Amino acid sequence: MPAKEKLIEIKDLQITFGAGRKKFVAVDHVNFDIYKGETFSLVGESGSGKTTIGRAITRINPVSSGEILFKGQRISGKISKELDREVIKKCQMIFQDPMASLNERAKVDYIVSEGLYNFHLYKDEDDRKRKVEAALREVGLLPEFASRFPHEFSGGQRQRIGIARALIMEPEFVVADEPISALDVSIRAQVLNLLNRLRKSRGLTYLFIAHDLSVVRFISDRIAVIHKGRIVELAEAEELFLHPLHPYTKALLSAVPIPDPELEKKKKLLVYDPSVHDYSKDGPVWDEILPEHYVYGNQRELDQYRREIQQTQA
Amino acid sequence: MERTPLLSAKDIEIEFTLRGKVLKAIRRCSLDIYEGETMAIVGESGSGKSVFTKSFLGMLDANGRITGGSITYDGVDISQYKTEKEWMTIRGKKIAMVMQDPMTSLNPLKKIGKQIQESIELNQGIHGEQAKKMAVEMLEKVGIPDAARRANQYPHEFSGGMRQRVVIAIAAACRPQILICDEPTTALDVTIQAQILDLIRNLQRELNMTVIYITHDLGVVANVADRVAVMYAGQIVEYGTVNEIFYDAWHPYTWALLSSLPQLGIKGEELPTIEGTPPNLFNEVKGDAFAPRNKQALDVDFEEEPPFFAVSETHKAKTWYLDPRSPKIEQPQSIRRLREKMERERK
């Protein structure tokens, strides 16, 4: 198997808000890589710092320490103006709430081409129009929609406009921040299909941020579970569902609603209690417990996880 | 066995007047609610599930009105109620509602304890210190730690999940017979969602309530419901026990809803989706409202509205597929696959 190309590398990333007594550590020593062409998911409850990581990659939030590499180049902290512009073009973001993330007073035409205006990525007016039309078609909207305002569209259509706006910049990497949480069930499937199709046709790489593990299992290649700013477990999607090790992952999995009444009514809800970890003597480490399956814990816990794996395999 | 329903809505029609035009939001919708059960109403946004249940409480917007049918509760047709005074004998006391968004359904200027106390004073006629004590007890009951102190705080000091608990406390403090939960967990995290569902279930048992859930999340439905009603374009198109709906659905819309779930998708394959949009309810709907979006629709679907056909004693579906004269139609593969997959996983 050829070595996978790393598109994004995150090294010892720390992000804090405020200073002094009010300092709050939102992201705490996070390490992971995102390979080219994959969908990497970050899963955790609200306030766990998953969005903050996504925003740090797109250079919206500043990084306190550690670094982020994009194609081997550092893109965090102070960088040259050219690189900054490059990153803004190549790393795009799709936002959670399509009702709030579009400018109510602008026409779709302007919303979609705002990035083109900013970087002057078009030859003339005709070229720009063509690009907007192509982007709208690609996300399954009609080119006529360009002259309308956002309030004329349904939630699913608005999310498509948000996707078109990201696509027109021809990004390589897209941060999708809960792109379907605010949508209706019947539309969720359509948007998921669209994202998957675009990944194939354009060779995109996604960072998919979500709190709902059931959706994540369908769409992602690898999943990282984040709790209070720390990644506690990282594995391939199926592996994580088959052998969840960290108690927080287990709690999260137990909370996922299953659309099967028999299973769902038998299900036992696990609640994660962080006080089960005794890190006073034996400090926790980030360890590869199985190939490509990482978990955060101290030696005693890691031993216990290994026993669990043996039991399930036996 | 013949049970008398606690609440019986019959052929309800609801219209809204919007910019001079008439929108038929609910088109002859009937539903029976039995005592002690948990009923879930499922459907996409705009299908009328909220409007339908709001009519049980007289909470329709000013431009909406019930134009036909009856809602029998306690031997009285409450759909004939006109004044607020009449509705106040039902609303809160007998039927209470938990709204979707805990961020906007509390008064930000009033202390939490006071807001619960208000509902106790208004609906149970207990006042002053005693009502205050009951409010604190209610807070404890919904699982808020350190209730006495928390009762003196304002809504902004509570997290989303905690606020939803408070909203539930306010609704349950009136000791209603029926509790309507309108998307109680959509705005919440999965972990919190599971806790809130547990809480509602425990309260239901303790206070002997009948619960109606309104939701579009079929996972939630599988968790809580005894019976399910599927709504589309202002009508109930299929209802039955939760197992009948999940394992043996017959209406094409229910099929589409179930098979578009990402949980059941196969990685690398496209998820089945529902093409098109729901019908415009400003216009008259002819035939089966779902027919234009249904690839397997029969000719008769476009002409005549199907009646309810019984699949079993408790399970009915409004589709021509079940008419003995219709060509034999099999349940789609995804539904069968769902059943097989679930049977495998159950082992």
Side-chain angles (χ1 to χ4, degrees), chain A residues 98-99 153-161 179 182-184 187 191:
Chain A
M99 293 299 165
F153 296 97
S154 67
Q157 285 173 322
R158 277 161 166 256
Q159 196 58 291
R160 284 165 194 266
I161 296 171
L183 303 178
D184 215 56
I187 302 157
V191 172

Side-chain angles (χ1 to χ4, degrees), chain B residues 130-202:
Chain B
Q130 210 195 337
K132 200 168 177 182
K133 230 179 87 202
M134 282 175 75
V136 174
E137 277 168 24
M138 206 62 224
L139 267 185
E140 268 167 20
K141 213 172 249 168
V142 294
I144 290 182
D146 199 4
R149 190 178 59 83
R150 296 289 263 174
N152 271 321
Q153 291 182 328
Y154 290 93
H156 74 262
E157 297 173 78
F158 283 63
S159 68
M162 285 294 174
R163 265 187 250 193
Q164 195 61 298
R165 285 173 195 265
V166 173
V167 176
I168 293 168
I170 293 174
C174 331
R175 300 293 150 100
Q177 257 190 311
I178 302 177
L179 183 69
I180 302 174
C181 301
D182 188 353
E183 310 252 7
T185 59
T186 340
L188 305 174
D189 247 30
V190 257
T191 36
I192 312 291
Q193 164 174 308
Q195 291 169 18
I196 295 288
L197 294 182
D198 255 1
L199 169 68
I200 296 176
R201 200 188 342 252
N202 291 338

Side-chain angles (χ1 to χ4, degrees), chain B residues 61-81:
Chain B
D61 289 343
N63 61 345
R65 68 210 163 269
I66 301 175
T67 51
S70 63
I71 305 169
T72 315
Y73 174 74
D74 233 359
V76 186
D77 179 8
I78 57 175
S79 70
Q80 298 302 322
Y81 281 4

Side-chain angles (χ1 to χ4, degrees), chain A residues 188-239:
Chain A
R188 281 186 181 185
Q190 292 174 13
V191 172
L192 280 182
N193 280 346
L194 175 66
L195 288 173
N196 258 338
R197 210 153 44 221
L198 291 170
R199 173 163 74 133
K200 276 184 213 139
S201 65
R202 292 224 175 184
L204 291 176
T205 307
Y206 289 125
L207 173 64
F208 196 91
I209 297 169
H211 69 251
D212 185 349
L213 268 168
S214 55
V215 173
V216 165
R217 181 183 195 170
F218 171 73
I219 197 165
S220 38
D221 299 308
R222 291 191 305 147
I223 301 175
V225 179
I226 184 166
H227 180 249
K228 296 248 158 81
R230 254 183 198 288
I231 292 190
V232 295
E233 192 161 359
L234 191 164
E236 283 184 350
E238 284 311 305
E239 166 72 16

Side-chain angles (χ1 to χ4, degrees), chain A residues 44-46 183-186 188-190 192-193 197 200 211-212 214-215 217-218 220 237-238 251-252 255-267 269, chain B residues 44-45 188-191 193-194 198 216-220 222-223 225 242-243 246-247 257 260-263 265-274 342 345-346:
Chain A
E45 58 195 9
S46 27
L183 303 178
D184 215 56
V185 260
S186 54
R188 281 186 181 185
Q190 292 174 13
L192 280 182
N193 280 346
R197 210 153 44 221
K200 276 184 213 139
H211 69 251
D212 185 349
S214 55
V215 173
R217 181 183 195 170
F218 171 73
S220 38
E238 284 311 305
L252 214 52
V256 173
I258 320 164
D260 179 310
E262 302 261 310
L263 274 178
E264 184 70 22
K265 279 178 177 142
K266 265 186 275 172
K267 189 176 80 173
L269 191 64
Chain B
E44 61 194 299
S45 13
L188 305 174
D189 247 30
V190 257
T191 36
Q193 164 174 308
D198 255 1
H216 63 234
D217 188 335
L218 285 163
V220 170
N223 185 309
V242 66
N243 285 16
F246 275 86
Y247 305 131
L257 264 190
S260 69
L261 285 172
Q263 286 97 321
I266 294 170
K267 224 186 233 165
E269 274 180 34
E270 296 249 310
L271 280 173
T273 56
I274 314 175
M342 290 308 167
E345 251 175 60
R346 220 172 294 146

Side-chain angles (χ1 to χ4, degrees), chain A residues 16-29:
Chain A
T16 55
F17 291 109
R21 277 205 324 200
K22 275 189 175 168
K23 188 167 139 178
F24 177 75
V25 182
V27 177
D28 197 5
H29 296 286

